[in-house]
Amino acid sequence: HSTKMCIPENMLIELPRLEEKYVLVEPLAVVCRGLSKMTFAKSRKILINGFGTIGKLCSCALNSMGLRHAVFDPNKNPSNPAELEFDILIECSGSEKSLHQYNLEKRNNIDVLLFGFEYKNLPLDMVVYREIKLIGSVGASKEDFYSAIQILKSINQPIDIEWFNPNQYHDAIRYFIDKRTKVGFSMD
């Protein structure tokens, strides 16, 4: 583990004020990047699959855009989501298995936004045959960070973060795995 990190000054982004909620700026910037690749219309039915950190932040970002959406959390809901109606599926669970529950092979002309890398076995023939638009997203640009900061400025409710001292790294990882919630490290 490093104790110091050197980065160019032009890579730094100033935060409006030092508040707990800004620890979420990086994952929210990732969400902003993905959503910026999408075309939204008020008439489209948007479904977020997964309600971990990325799914919650995606919901926040869609709310800030004035877009109605539904959320299905495969970790908390054992029912089969195949019957849910949507035109846009935003995959935030990080699970290809979860994605297959939506019977994409029976849907036409939908958009699917995929966050992350866990989608090695998607059948591309089905994507072509059903005219499914797959949009992949990973990382964020400086502009995405600015967008994330604007969204976080508008959030006035407490953010669910469990804080740890840096020497409690292993405890923090175990807590994250068990609770699937955001963890932060405090230098106090």
Side-chain angles (χ1 to χ4, degrees), residues 17-183:
R17 59 193 155 279
L18 190 57
E19 290 182 52
E20 200 173 79
K21 64 185 174 183
Y22 290 107
V23 300
L24 297 172
V25 73
E26 187 276 334
L28 183 53
V30 170
V31 166
C32 289
R33 179 180 185 84
L35 295 179
S36 73
K37 296 178 176 191
M38 302 293 292
T39 303
F40 294 106
K42 298 277 186 196
S43 62
R44 299 197 72 193
K45 294 177 182 159
I46 304 168
L47 178 65
I48 298 172
N49 181 58
F51 208 54
T53 301
I54 296 295
K56 287 174 185 172
L57 292 174
C58 193
S59 182
C60 260
L62 291 172
N63 285 337
S64 77
M65 297 164 69
L67 294 169
R68 295 187 63 199
H69 57 280
V71 176
F72 181 83
D73 188 349
N75 294 321
K76 296 207 164 71
N77 191 339
S79 66
N80 186 342
E83 301 303 317
L84 297 173
E85 289 186 35
F86 58 87
D87 305 301
I88 297 174
L89 177 63
I90 302 176
E91 208 316 285
C92 299
S93 73
S95 166
E96 186 176 322
K97 178 183 167 198
S98 172
L99 189 59
H100 286 294
Q101 293 179 335
Y102 287 95
N103 290 338
L104 297 181
E105 66 277 358
K106 295 180 181 176
R107 298 180 187 269
N108 292 315
N109 299 310
I110 62 169
D111 295 352
V112 180
L113 173 58
L114 304 171
F115 285 105
F117 297 105
E118 301 300 319
Y119 311 103
K120 296 176 182 116
N121 299 311
L122 286 179
L124 292 180
D125 56 338
M126 179 253 328
V127 170
V128 173
Y129 178 71
R130 291 293 178 177
E131 297 184 1
I132 294 173
K133 183 177 175 184
L134 285 181
I135 299 111
S137 189
V138 65
S141 69
K142 200 167 190 175
E143 291 76 25
D144 299 319
F145 276 85
Y146 287 124
S147 297
I149 288 169
Q150 291 307 310
I151 293 169
L152 289 170
K153 276 184 179 178
S154 68
I155 295 175
N156 296 319
Q157 63 210 37
I159 304 291
D160 186 22
I161 302 170
E162 189 65 31
W163 291 96
F164 291 87
N165 190 295
N167 64 3
Q168 296 174 300
Y169 176 79
H170 294 289
D171 294 335
I173 297 299
R174 275 193 295 279
Y175 187 87
F176 171 76
I177 290 169
D178 291 344
K179 305 288 185 183
R180 302 298 294 168
T181 189
K182 193 79 175 162
V183 296

Side-chain angles (χ1 to χ4, degrees), residues 4-20:
K4 294 182 183 179
M5 190 166 74
C6 294
I7 59 172
E9 186 176 344
N10 67 340
M11 297 298 292
L12 298 175
I13 297 175
E14 187 175 346
L15 296 175
R17 59 193 155 279
L18 190 57
E19 290 182 52
E20 200 173 79

